[in-house]
């Protein structure tokens, strides 16, 4: 009501599906290369909420871009949410409940097939929860094919790592520290050209099938490498805040925690951002 009072047009989303995607679009009047007036689109997509309090407590990623393909997809997604038109055909983004689950499953199976062919294959993901049976089954298949899988799951996880003949190539850890680990990041080896997705969605049926969610690829190589470093690599080296899951679903402190040099991924990220 307060937004509407100041002139904002508030739309309440799609009936039966919670809108959980984090998107913003700015349409700006600029000049083109010839100096003529033109409109240009800018888009922001994130893994976390647009909320000043959680921004101080949660760890998240956001992308601000003028990439025309991404902006076009964001525009189409907003049209679907605010109108009564047909399902939009997105070129770059993945959207639930339509295409996101298929993108995740196809990416996992592509790594599985690469491993079966004797080629390098790996998967790394950071999510808040892992409960989707379809995703878990696909990860088990990939592990049995020889894919190396690292999962950083902050909360509930129904997958069991390290089970002989089922998931011996899967490792699961949770990072518990000063900040709430909230970003969702999916990294696939992709034949040596890593495919990196950021998303608002966890690997749960409710997110993949019953909510409006967005996953977006990181196309710029420099940004892609930064996301891999800050979302995956740093956390895999944590020996202070990391808890490792065993094959029975129990968590244990990192066996490296007793080392003289304590390494906290959250402290390292703060140090990097304060440069």
């Amino acid at each position: 009501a307060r937004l509407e009072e100041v002139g904002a047009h508030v739309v309440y989303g799609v009936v039966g599906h919670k809108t959980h995607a984090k998107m913003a679009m700015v349409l700006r009047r600029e000049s083109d290369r010839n100096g003529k007036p033109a409109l240009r689109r800018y888009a922001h997509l994130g893994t976390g909420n647009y909320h000043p309090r959680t921004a101080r407590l949660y760890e998240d990623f956001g992308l601000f871009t003028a990439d025309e393909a991404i902006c076009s997809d964001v525009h189409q997604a907003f049209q679907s949410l605010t109108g009564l038109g047909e399902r939009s055909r997105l070129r770059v983004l993945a959207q639930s409940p339509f295409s996101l689950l298929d993108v995740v499953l196809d990416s996992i199976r592509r790594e599985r097939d690469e491993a079966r062919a004797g080629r390098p294959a790996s998967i790394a993901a950071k999510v808040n929860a892992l409960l989707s049976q379809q995703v878990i089954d696909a990860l088990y298949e990939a592990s049995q094919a020889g894919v190396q899988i690292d999962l950083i799951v902050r909360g509930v996880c129904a997958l069991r790592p390290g089970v002989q003949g089922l998931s011996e190539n899967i490792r699961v850890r949770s990072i518990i520290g000063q900040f709430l680990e909230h970003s969702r990041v999916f990294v696939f080896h992709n034949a040596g050209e890593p495919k990196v997705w950021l998303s608002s969605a966890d690997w749960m049926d409710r997110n993949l099938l019953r909510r409006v969610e967005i996953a977006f690829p990181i196309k710029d190589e420099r940004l892609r490498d930064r996301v891999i470093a800050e979302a995956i690599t740093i956390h895999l080296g944590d020996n202070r805040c990391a808890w490792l899951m065993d094959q029975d679903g129990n968590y244990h402190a990192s066996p490296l925690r007793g080392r003289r040099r304590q390494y906290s991924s959250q402290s390292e990220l703060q140090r990097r951002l304060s440069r």
Side-chain angles (χ1 to χ4, degrees):
R2 292 174 63 185
L3 286 171
E4 291 177 326
E5 288 173 0
V6 296
H9 179 205
V10 179
V11 179
Y12 293 93
V14 180
V15 175
H17 290 77
K18 177 179 179 179
T19 300
H20 194 249
K22 293 82 170 69
M23 303 182 296
M25 171 162 280
V26 175
L27 193 62
R28 188 168 185 260
R29 184 178 291 109
E30 299 180 353
S31 298
D32 63 18
R33 294 179 180 179
N34 298 318
K36 296 181 179 180
L39 294 178
R40 189 174 188 187
R41 294 184 291 200
Y42 297 87
H44 180 272
L45 301 105
T47 65
N49 304 326
Y50 292 129
H51 194 293
R53 292 184 181 177
T54 57
R56 295 177 178 273
L57 301 172
Y58 289 15
E59 170 274 337
D60 276 298
F61 282 96
L63 174 70
F64 187 67
T65 180
D67 181 275
E68 184 53 34
I70 291 178
C71 288
S72 176
D73 276 3
V74 171
H75 179 77
Q76 292 292 327
F78 274 122
Q79 282 194 320
S80 295
L81 290 171
T82 58
L84 298 176
E86 297 181 356
R87 165 188 168 185
S88 55
R89 300 287 181 178
L90 305 183
R91 295 181 295 166
V92 179
L93 305 183
Q95 182 183 14
S96 67
F98 307 118
S99 60
L100 181 50
L101 177 59
D102 288 339
V103 166
V104 172
L105 294 177
D106 289 346
S107 298
I108 294 172
R109 289 163 180 161
R110 189 176 302 115
E111 297 301 316
R112 176 202 64 190
D113 293 343
E114 287 290 290
R116 285 176 175 173
R119 293 186 287 267
S122 64
I123 298 168
K126 184 174 183 291
V127 294
N128 295 321
L130 172 53
L131 289 175
S132 168
Q133 193 60 53
Q134 292 184 74
V135 174
I136 290 172
D137 289 343
L139 290 170
Y140 284 155
E141 285 186 9
S143 171
Q144 294 169 49
V147 180
Q148 298 300 310
I149 303 171
D150 283 293
L151 303 175
I152 303 167
V153 185
R154 176 176 60 83
V156 60
C157 178
L159 178 147
R160 293 295 175 261
V163 178
Q164 191 66 31
L166 178 69
S167 59
E168 63 265 39
N169 291 314
I170 304 178
R171 293 164 293 278
V172 176
R173 67 178 53 215
S174 179
I175 304 294
I176 308 297
Q178 178 182 357
F179 299 103
L180 185 77
E181 296 292 335
H182 191 251
S183 61
R184 294 89 166 181
V185 183
F186 320 143
V187 180
F188 303 96
H189 182 268
N190 193 39
E193 292 292 333
K195 185 75 170 181
V196 177
W197 294 86
L198 300 182
S199 182
S200 58
D202 288 307
W203 283 354
M204 305 171 66
D205 284 342
R206 73 177 188 186
N207 298 85
L208 299 171
L209 300 174
R210 297 190 296 275
R211 286 184 174 182
V212 177
E213 306 271 17
I214 287 289
F216 51 100
I218 302 301
K219 301 163 71 175
D220 181 87
E221 183 177 353
R222 179 179 60 86
L223 294 180
R224 183 190 67 194
D225 292 345
R226 178 180 175 184
V227 170
I228 294 173
E230 295 183 1
I232 304 298
T233 307
I234 287 177
H235 290 294
L236 295 181
D238 193 310
N239 65 359
R240 181 178 176 184
C241 301
W243 293 81
L244 310 184
M245 179 189 279
D246 64 22
Q247 63 184 27
D248 296 318
N250 300 312
Y251 284 91
H252 306 274
S254 169
L256 303 178
R257 183 170 295 189
R259 289 195 173 186
R260 180 175 300 177
R261 183 176 182 275
Q262 296 291 295
Y263 181 82
S264 165
S265 54
Q266 293 192 352
S267 296
E268 173 61 18
L269 286 174
Q270 291 182 70
R271 185 187 68 79
R272 291 190 178 199
L273 294 174
S274 64
R275 290 178 182 174

